[in-house]
Amino acid sequence: MTTFAWLGMAAMMAVAAPTRADEGPAAPSRGCATRDYPGDRRDVACTLEPSPEARIVRFAVHLTGGHDDTRASMQATLDGKPACATGSKVALFGEEGDVSLECRIERPAGSAAGVLRVVVVWTCAAFARHELR
């Protein structure tokens, strides 16, 4: 199979792939774009819709294979300002098994559209997925 044919098949499969965030790294959250870097880092940018009512938005990162030296952290900004509310879990160390981070974003009534940017860094685990809900 030629490279061109393979790329065409890959593009068709990507279009047909489900877009739910909980289905793995190949299916990021709707409205989110990701960029992976060498090593264990992923940047995610998500467009948040206007919010006529007050609500809480959650951005979660799920990792697998956590053990005694696993580290992970995330930094999130909404339109350039820190986004995670008190009670968010933005770092972990030494947790076992399937582990996760979560950023709670409090959106007041009448919030305009915005861009949520998240930088996730981890070691000694595997990135499973992210989700915006």
Side-chain angles (χ1 to χ4, degrees):
M1 177 180 298
T2 67
T3 301
F4 182 77
W6 184 87
L7 290 173
M9 283 179 47
M12 288 188 318
M13 289 169 42
V15 170
T19 57
R20 289 185 33 165
D22 58 356
E23 293 180 1
S29 300
R30 279 202 172 108
C32 296
T34 62
R35 182 173 182 177
D36 292 323
Y37 290 88
D40 296 331
R41 176 182 166 180
R42 176 172 288 191
D43 291 0
V44 182
C46 302
T47 301
L48 301 183
E49 298 297 322
S51 178
E53 299 174 354
R55 66 181 177 144
I56 294 179
V57 175
R58 287 182 168 81
F59 183 90
V61 172
H62 303 280
L63 305 168
T64 62
H67 52 283
D68 63 349
D69 63 347
T70 296
R71 290 181 189 267
S73 65
M74 71 173 159
Q75 293 182 322
T77 59
L78 180 58
D79 295 330
K81 297 175 185 162
C84 299
T86 302
S88 296
K89 181 181 177 184
V90 297
L92 63 83
F93 174 73
E95 293 184 22
E96 301 280 331
D98 295 337
V99 297
S100 61
L101 301 172
E102 183 177 83
C103 175
R104 293 178 51 250
I105 302 129
E106 297 173 353
R107 306 230 33 226
S111 295
V115 176
L116 175 67
R117 295 189 186 280
V118 182
V119 176
V120 184
V121 180
W122 68 94
T123 61
C124 300
F127 190 94
R129 68 186 188 279
H130 71 268
E131 60 184 329
L132 178 67
R133 48 190 159 93

